[in-house]
Amino acid sequence: MISFKGSHYPKVAILYAVFFYVRYSVSYRDLEEIMQERWVEVDHATLNRWVEKYAPLIAAEAKKQKRQVGTSWRMDETYIKVKGKWVYQYRAVDKQGKTVDFMLSETRDEEAATRFFEEAIGNNILPEKVVMDKSGANKAGLTNINICHFLSGCWLSFIDILQVKYLNNVVEQDHRFIKRITKPMMGFKAFRSAAATLDGIEVAHMIRKRQMGQESVPAFRQFMELAG
């Protein structure tokens, strides 16, 4: 359960603001006006702090509670601008398009890919195969995982690696929702802020794809339930 102790605002107001920001294409200034229309006086700087603090915590709960994904993954990364420089949102979905995992990295290399696969496998069941593009770094990252399995004696835990670009269309199309929300934000000023915001956007996207709870439950209620 996420603690809201010490906050001067009701939990529902905080979560409403965070959810609205990560689900819809609005600026913090716009969100400030939206909250005022709902009789909540809060400035844009406070709204930013709420997103940075609570979105990652909710994302951690979402990763634990989402429905089980398939064992055939599609993995890729998309570009996000932070302080005028590109950083990389590593993402994976299963062949049905359900979100497997996500991670923001300042680098796009073997080390980052290895870390992503470690986290993704740790949060999900072991995949049978992973489809990716022709990236050598991503292949090397997953090969490192297979080597670890080999050295630990897990002979049956090898993951097939398929580098077939057209089979990766599922995850490339799934990037569009993330880019649609982040584009109006005109880039982030800090890596921490970008990572927190993207965590929240990914959770909202999982809810939209009906990966969390019952389909009949409204999206905001599901978001609140993740906070406990």
Side-chain angles (χ1 to χ4, degrees), residues 78-98:
T78 188
Y79 300 83
I80 303 293
K81 188 164 284 189
V82 176
K83 292 170 57 177
K85 296 182 179 180
W86 292 111
V87 297
Y88 312 93
Q89 178 77 344
Y90 281 82
R91 309 183 67 245
V93 302
D94 67 12
K95 67 179 181 179
Q96 304 300 326
K98 302 300 184 184

Side-chain angles (χ1 to χ4, degrees), residues 165-182:
K165 186 172 177 59
Y166 78 89
L167 290 177
N168 231 28
N169 288 341
V170 174
V171 66
E172 290 175 356
Q173 291 174 4
D174 198 67
H175 290 334
R176 294 177 182 176
F177 178 84
I178 308 302
K179 302 294 283 188
R180 182 173 67 82
I181 300 297
T182 58

